[in-house]
């Protein structure tokens, strides 16, 4: 039986034919040797350095990845508020002082990383500097949501279509609790 995690993804230009890939976040893929590949602007996959990773996201021009030892690595062609680098780096550069567990990268201008102790960090549009305990986080289309340690669902960012789930259509720069939705957490 094929390992579901390493099940082949749809072939992309630039990805080697002799490896199996699992999809990471956005336009990135992880091969069967734990190496990260990300698409460039032409949709061609490029290997992102020599770091073995467990997760990653973005594109070849900007993104972040978590190595097998839970170190956070990021890259970006030019400075943005979306990536936690002090200066641009085209290859993955280790972010000192952060041990990451997972990455969530939206399709537009935001990224969150959850540390191994459950502390999330978010960068980009409509982000904030509050500290909260999370067991899961997701970003997409100018909004970010997370599940806290009690199973409550929280979101912030763009809300013109009411997708934050708090009964309004007002954008929120801080998390608002999604009404009537909780997640059952397994021990």
């Amino acid at each position: 039986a094929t390992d579901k995690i390493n099940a082949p993804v749809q072939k992309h230009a630039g990805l080697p034919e002799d490896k199996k890939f699992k999809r990471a976040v956005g336009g990135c893929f992880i091969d069967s040797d734990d190496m990260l590949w990300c698409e460039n602007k032409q949709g061609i996959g490029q290997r992102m350095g020599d770091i073995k990773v467990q997760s990653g996201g973005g594109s070849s021009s900007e993104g972040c990845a978590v190595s097998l030892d839970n170190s956070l690595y990021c890259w970006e062609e030019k400075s943005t508020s979306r990536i936690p680098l002090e200066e641009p780096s085209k290859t993955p550069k280790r972010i000192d002082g952060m041990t990451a567990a997972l990455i969530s990268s939206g399709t537009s201008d935001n990224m969150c990383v959850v540390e191994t102790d459950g502390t999330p960090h978010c960068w980009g549009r409509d982000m904030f500097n509050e500290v909260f305990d999370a067991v899961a986080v997701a970003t997409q289309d100018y909004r970010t949501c997370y599940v806290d340690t009690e199973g409550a669902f929280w979101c912030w960012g763009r809300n013109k279509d009411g997708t934050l789930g708090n009964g309004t259509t007002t954008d929120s720069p801080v998390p608002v609790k999604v009404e009537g939705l909780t997640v059952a957490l397994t021990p």
Side-chain angles (χ1 to χ4, degrees):
T2 303
D3 181 341
K4 288 181 182 177
I5 290 177
N6 285 326
V9 298
Q10 195 173 24
K11 287 297 180 186
H12 285 68
L15 298 181
E17 297 284 335
D18 63 336
K19 296 191 182 297
K20 291 182 179 178
F21 286 86
K22 58 184 175 181
R23 181 169 288 281
V25 179
C28 294
F29 308 90
I30 300 172
D31 71 20
S32 50
D33 293 323
D34 300 316
M35 304 306 282
L36 185 70
W37 297 72
C38 294
E39 294 175 329
N40 62 20
K41 291 174 185 166
Q42 292 75 37
I44 298 172
Q46 296 177 227
R47 194 163 113 182
M48 303 304 298
D50 294 323
I51 302 153
K52 290 186 178 259
V53 302
Q54 56 182 302
S55 66
S59 68
S60 67
S61 60
E62 66 176 23
C64 290
V66 177
S67 66
L68 294 182
D69 68 356
N70 294 99
S71 296
L72 179 65
Y73 288 82
C74 296
W75 62 94
E76 62 181 346
E77 288 182 356
K78 58 185 178 188
S79 290
T80 68
S81 61
R82 178 180 144 88
I83 304 295
L85 282 174
E86 292 179 13
E87 57 187 56
S89 174
K90 289 185 178 183
T91 58
K93 183 176 179 183
R94 189 174 186 276
I95 307 298
D96 290 331
M98 191 172 298
T99 54
L102 63 95
I103 289 176
S104 178
S105 173
T107 55
S108 39
D109 296 336
N110 55 4
M111 174 174 285
C112 290
V113 172
V114 178
E115 288 196 78
T116 52
D117 68 0
T119 304
H121 300 271
C122 297
W123 300 273
R125 187 183 305 236
D126 294 326
M127 296 294 103
F128 66 100
N129 293 319
E130 295 178 39
V131 174
F132 53 91
D133 289 328
V135 295
V137 65
T139 58
Q140 185 173 14
D141 296 333
Y142 303 111
R143 70 184 61 84
T144 302
C145 297
Y146 74 94
V147 176
D148 69 17
T149 55
E150 303 298 315
F153 209 74
W154 299 78
C155 296
W156 71 94
R158 184 177 287 172
N159 193 35
K160 69 179 180 178
D161 53 1
T163 53
L164 290 187
N166 66 339
T168 74
T169 57
T170 304
D171 293 352
S172 179
V174 296
V176 293
K177 191 171 184 178
V178 177
E179 298 300 324
L181 180 63
T182 57
V183 176
L185 302 176
T186 55

